[in-house]
Amino acid sequence: MSDALPETPDLSGRVALVTGASRGIGYFVAKELAAAGAHVIAVARTVGGLEELDDEIREAGGQATLVPLDLVDMAGIDRLGGVIHERWGKLDVLVANAAILGVIAPVGHVEAKVFEKVMAVNVTATWRTIRSVDPLLRLSDAGRAILMSSGAAHSARAYWGPYAASKAAVEALSRSWADETKNTALKVNCVNPGATRTAMRAQAMPGENPETLPHPSEIARKILPLASPALTQTGAIFEAREGRFVHYRMPE
Ligand code: NDP
């Protein structure tokens, strides 16, 4: 398998769903997808952030549909799949990016409601989104699923327990889904964006100078080729800062 990334894709006529598009990495991935020609369906809770994204996309000649939705509303995720089916009859790109950090604390000190919220947003909502749009991605001639993970899934450093566990779960889901779909046109990959200048990173590392970190627009440009119909990889993790794939062994 070649690990060469496709060129910047032409996504004209393609439909892309981005969760967590109101700020941070999701915002700029949505902008990149729209600039490449995709119609972007942008999901988040903060209407102001979504409207700002919509303004920027339209000014650049692109198109977006805004979906203010709290992803803990699992029935809402199901309805979204139904609406995409009715309006477009397919989905070409999923970027499951929305997540929360929860709390930085020793595993034994984490409050139950915080742990459960991290799992609900990062894991259950991601699974529910996959379940809602899997049939639509299979209706595309080149469905591309991009699930946002983190180095924390592997480093599992002290005090990052709930978040690390949630991202390890996302990677496991993604690998099973990739194996299930390996004989189809759908490609499923995780991304580790690496430390990026966003609100989540500032919450995790309040003492850090954000100017030392890449801007999310830079990371978004590196992620865009994963949406390309020319992509061949599936079941891998894309290390965005280095621009390389890490492959797991696929099941026999
Ligand atoms: P931000 O906190 O900047 O943005 C998170 C996005 O998720 C926002 O748009 C937020 O929108 C949305 N979101 C959170 N909760 C919900 C919810 N309940 N319903 C709907 N949307 C929700 O995070 P980043 O941009 O930093 O992170 C993006 C992804 O990258 C995440 O998956 C994160 O784990 C991952 N990552 C980030 C790294 C970094 O250094 N920044 C490093 C490694 C991984 P709203 O609040 O409007 O709902």
Side-chain angles (χ1 to χ4, degrees):
M1 184 194 303
S2 161
D3 262 358
L5 268 179
E7 300 287 310
T8 301
D10 175 5
L11 301 179
S12 313
R14 303 212 154 248
V15 183
L17 170 63
V18 183
T19 69
S22 62
R23 63 169 185 268
I25 296 168
Y27 183 101
F28 288 96
V29 169
K31 259 185 81 174
E32 288 291 329
L33 289 165
H39 185 110
V40 170
I41 304 163
V43 177
R45 292 167 302 179
T46 310
V47 174
L50 291 177
E51 285 177 346
E52 199 179 309
L53 173 69
D54 191 41
D55 289 347
E56 284 209 63
I57 287 177
R58 277 169 208 282
E59 269 167 33
Q63 286 186 319
T65 297
L66 307 185
V67 182
L69 176 68
D70 188 332
L71 288 164
V72 299
D73 173 3
M74 301 296 161
I77 297 175
D78 295 348
R79 284 196 299 277
L80 178 58
V83 169
I84 295 171
H85 185 249
E86 269 169 38
R87 182 153 166 202
W88 290 283
K90 63 157 187 179
L91 181 68
D92 299 294
V93 181
L94 165 66
V95 184
N97 161 83
I100 55 172
L101 178 70
V103 68
I104 299 291
V107 171
H109 293 196
V110 177
E111 281 182 64
K113 66 172 193 275
V114 173
F115 186 86
E116 282 159 13
K117 184 81 188 285
V118 170
M119 290 299 148
V121 176
N122 298 8
V123 183
T124 312
T126 298
W127 159 73
R128 195 77 172 221
T129 304
I130 292 170
R131 195 180 80 149
S132 182
V133 303
D134 167 76
L136 303 175
L137 286 165
R138 290 174 193 251
L139 286 167
S140 167
D141 60 349
R144 301 288 175 257
I146 301 165
L147 309 185
M148 214 55 74
S149 184
S150 164
H154 303 270
S155 63
R157 62 209 280 196
Y159 316 124
W160 287 62
Y163 178 78
S166 76
K167 291 301 184 178
V170 166
E171 289 196 7
L173 273 174
S174 134
R175 289 164 61 198
S176 286
W177 191 24
D179 195 44
E180 289 155 16
T181 54
K182 67 184 176 200
N183 297 323
T184 75
L186 176 56
K187 309 289 178 211
V188 178
N189 292 289
C190 279
V191 170
N192 171 21
T196 308
R197 197 190 314 163
T198 68
M200 182 189 285
R201 179 71 189 183
Q203 184 195 347
M205 308 290 254
E208 185 176 63
N209 176 3
E211 296 304 319
T212 60
L213 302 174
H215 191 268
S217 58
E218 189 186 321
I219 298 302
R221 276 194 297 278
K222 296 191 170 179
I223 293 171
L224 181 66
L226 297 192
S228 171
L231 184 85
T232 55
Q233 290 85 352
T234 197
I237 301 177
F238 182 65
E239 296 284 346
R241 282 174 81 159
E242 294 134 46
R244 72 181 172 94
F245 286 93
V246 174
H247 294 281
Y248 285 103
R249 202 168 55 143
M250 294 292 271
E252 300 298 315

